[in-house]
Each structure stands twice: as structure tokens, then as C-alpha cells.
């Protein structure tokens, strides 16, 4: 597995807090040494499925809630969050067994709407691949990697060490797994060569790519903020997410980001 040198520190406060949420509202489970699952169940016909990085959350202690959590009380939806410790690409027998089992049991089919969310190359890569278990899902990915192998993405130089674990197999790749999705929206920075090249691999007929020039990492951070994610989720639920709606939700949050503001000021 790539990126395994750092010891795992589950941050007991974070684990306890999510454990209480899971106990009160659904489930919190450590699937294996590097993956967690949180389920928050509401009386709803909509399920959010998100992929996130636990190591980006637990530094915030009890405030480190996974992607999509803010939409649960805002829209009365259920949430299934899968979280990794480090950049695992979610290549885990336990993660796959959970998704396969839920699909086989009819869990995903029991919801009228499924919304799939992820931000970043590895989480976006895993979410796209997971869409094969959720036909008809509406998918929103920020800066995802469609593939990292030399065969499928020879331009990708950021994750060469991770190619040994071959997260692109078994197929289908993310763009192919998304063929059964009802709607796919890809957010990316067209000025970032890797971002743009990866986004170009998502080219299904139901796919919309929306560029935010010079946004870079600020786009990933803005995407996760409730001020952006809650309205984005509302549009996904209604089937009204388009370029105009995405920009209206993200631009105010982006323009409040200090790094993005500084980048814009140096380009003027």
C-alpha cells in the first residue's frame, strides 16, 4: 500500500465523538487499520455517500466532521461517509465488501436519490469507482483523479510511488463506473495541468466539467465548507446543479479564501 510509513494516530477524542454520533444515529465502525465508516440514518429518501480523509479531520478533534455531514441537518438526509487514514485510494477488501454488501442487500436501491461527494485526487478516484454500486446517483467531485497508472494516465507524475499498489485495478475505472450515474459534475482548475488532464478523462454524456481558474487547493477547501456544500447539495437533490448554480455557491467562499485572493492579486 502507498503512503504507509506514518504511524496511525486515531485521535481518541475524534474517534469517541464519531462513535457517539454513530451509536445515536446509525453506525461508526473501523473497517480495517486505515479505514472508517460513519452512517447517520434519517427518515429520508436521500442518501449522501462521501469519501474523505480521516487524517484531515481528526486534527480538529470533535469539530472534524466528514464531508457531507453539514447537509444532514440542513436537508434531513442520511449519510454514509467512508474515511481513509492517509492516501490509500480506498483500496481495501473491507471497504469493497461493505459497498458490495450494501448494494446486494438493496440498501442503495432503497433510496430515491443518492448523492455521491468527494474532494481531492484519491477520494475522488474512489468515489467515482464506487458509483458502479449506485446506479442513478448524482455525483459531484472536486479535483478527482480518474486514473494514475502509466497505462491510463501517462501524464500523471504526482503519484508515481502509488502506482505499485495499482489502485486503477480491477476495472472499471472511475469514468467507466460513472456511466450508470444520472448526473456527474467535475470541479477543477484548468490552469493546473494535472487537474485539467484528469478532468478531461471524465467525458461521459451526463458529465459537466466546471473550471475555476487559479483556484488550486483553495477549490478543495471551499468545496468542503458548509456555505458552499449545503447549497450544492440542495441543487443536487433537486437536479438543478449546473454551471451557474455551482459558481454561485463556490465563488463567495473562494473569494474569502486568503490564498486564492493572494493568487488573484499577483495575476493582475
Amino acid at each position: 500500500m502507498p503512503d504507509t510509513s506514518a504511524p496511525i494516530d486515531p485521535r481518541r477524542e475524534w474517534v469517541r465523538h464519531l462513535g457517539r454520533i454513530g451509536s445515536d444515529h446509525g453506525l461508526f465502525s473501523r473497517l480495517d487499520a486505515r479505514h472508517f465508516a460513519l452512517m447517520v440514518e434519517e427518515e429520508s429518501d436521500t442518501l449522501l455517500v462521501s469519501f474523505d480523509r480521516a487524517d484531515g479531520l481528526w486534527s480538529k478533534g470533535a469539530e472534524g466532521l466528514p464531508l457531507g455531514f453539514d447537509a444532514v441537518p440542513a436537508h434531513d438526509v442520511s449519510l454514509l461517509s467512508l474515511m481513509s487514514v492517509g492516501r490509500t485510494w480506498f483500496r481495501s477488501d473491507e471497504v469493497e465488501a461493505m459497498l458490495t454488501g450494501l448494494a446486494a442487500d438493496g440498501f442503495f436501491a432503497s433510496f430515491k436519490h443518492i448523492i455521491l461527494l468527494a474532494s481531492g485526487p484519491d477520494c475522488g478516484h474512489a468515489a467515482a469507482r464506487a458509483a458502479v454500486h449506485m446506479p442513478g446517483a448524482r455525483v459531484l467531485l472536486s479535483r478527482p483523479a480518474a486514473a494514475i497508472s502509466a497505462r491510463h494516465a501517462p501524464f500523471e507524475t504526482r503519484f508515481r510511488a502509488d502506482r505499485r499498489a495499482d489502485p486503477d485495478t480491477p476495472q472499471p475505472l472511475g469514468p467507466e463506473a460513472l456511466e450508470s450515474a444520472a448526473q456527474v459534475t467535475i470541479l477543477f482548475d484548468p490552469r493546473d495541468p494535472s487537474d485539467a488532464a484528469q478532468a478531461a478523462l471524465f467525458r461521459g454524456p451526463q458529465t459537466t466539467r466546471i473550471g475555476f481558474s487559479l483556484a488550486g487547493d483553495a477549490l478543495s477547501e471551499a468545496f468542503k465548507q458548509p456555505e458552499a456544500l449545503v447549497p450544492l447539495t440542495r441543487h443536487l437533490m433537486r437536479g438543478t446543479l449546473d454551471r451557474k448554480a455551482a459558481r454561485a455557491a463556490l465563488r463567495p467562499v473562494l473569494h474569502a479564501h486568503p490564498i486564492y485572493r493572494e493568487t488573484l492579486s499577483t495575476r493582475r
Side-chain angles (χ1 to χ4, degrees), residues 165-187:
D166 197 11
D168 292 344
T169 59
Q171 293 193 29
L173 293 173
E176 297 163 352
L178 288 166
E179 289 177 359
S180 63
Q183 178 185 7
V184 179
T185 305
I186 306 295
L187 311 177

Side-chain angles (χ1 to χ4, degrees), residues 3-106:
D3 192 29
T4 57
S5 58
I8 295 172
D9 176 11
R11 304 290 172 94
R12 292 178 181 176
E13 179 188 2
W14 180 82
V15 170
R16 273 198 222 102
H17 183 57
L18 264 67
R20 286 192 293 269
I21 293 173
S23 178
D24 292 342
H25 301 287
L27 166 76
F28 179 66
S29 175
R30 189 163 193 162
L31 300 179
D32 60 26
R34 303 190 69 187
H35 298 92
F36 296 92
L38 174 69
M39 179 82 74
V40 179
E41 295 183 277
E42 299 286 345
E43 292 293 329
S44 173
D45 63 359
T46 299
L47 172 70
L48 303 187
V49 181
S50 70
F51 286 73
D52 210 343
R53 288 280 293 268
D55 47 322
L57 297 172
W58 62 35
S59 61
K60 303 173 185 176
E63 301 301 314
L65 297 172
L67 184 69
F69 192 90
D70 294 297
V72 172
H75 298 312
D76 292 322
V77 296
S78 295
L79 171 70
L80 170 61
S81 173
L82 295 169
M83 294 163 278
S84 71
V85 179
R87 196 175 62 239
T88 69
W89 303 91
F90 292 83
R91 304 303 290 150
S92 158
D93 291 342
E94 287 75 11
V95 171
E96 185 59 29
M98 182 179 196
L99 291 171
T100 302
L102 290 173
D105 291 343

Side-chain angles (χ1 to χ4, degrees), residues 83-247:
M83 294 163 278
S84 71
V85 179
R87 196 175 62 239
T88 69
W89 303 91
F90 292 83
R91 304 303 290 150
S92 158
D93 291 342
E94 287 75 11
V95 171
E96 185 59 29
M98 182 179 196
L99 291 171
T100 302
L102 290 173
D105 291 343
F107 174 74
F108 296 127
S110 69
F111 291 91
K112 183 177 179 181
H113 303 296
I114 293 183
I115 295 171
L116 192 52
L117 303 169
S119 179
D122 52 328
C123 293
H125 181 278
R129 289 174 58 93
V132 73
H133 299 293
M134 309 163 207
R138 295 170 181 167
V139 183
L140 177 58
L141 307 177
S142 176
R143 309 187 73 201
I148 69 165
S149 64
R151 176 186 175 192
H152 298 293
F155 59 84
E156 183 58 82
T157 60
R158 295 173 295 175
F159 310 114
R160 283 176 174 166
D162 294 2
R163 286 175 172 173
R164 289 193 296 271
D166 197 11
D168 292 344
T169 59
Q171 293 193 29
L173 293 173
E176 297 163 352
L178 288 166
E179 289 177 359
S180 63
Q183 178 185 7
V184 179
T185 305
I186 306 295
L187 311 177
F188 71 105
D189 182 348
R191 298 287 191 96
D192 183 310
S194 295
D195 240 28
Q198 289 285 1
L201 295 178
F202 294 92
R203 49 179 177 262
Q206 78 282 49
T207 299
T208 301
R209 296 187 294 271
I210 306 174
F212 291 83
S213 291
L214 304 175
D217 291 338
L219 176 58
S220 297
E221 293 184 29
F223 176 75
K224 295 178 181 181
Q225 299 307 308
E227 296 85 355
L229 194 62
V230 169
L232 287 169
T233 304
R234 182 174 63 250
H235 281 294
L236 285 164
M237 291 172 66
R238 295 175 178 174
T240 57
L241 184 63
D242 56 16
R243 286 183 172 85
K244 182 179 179 180
R247 294 187 188 283

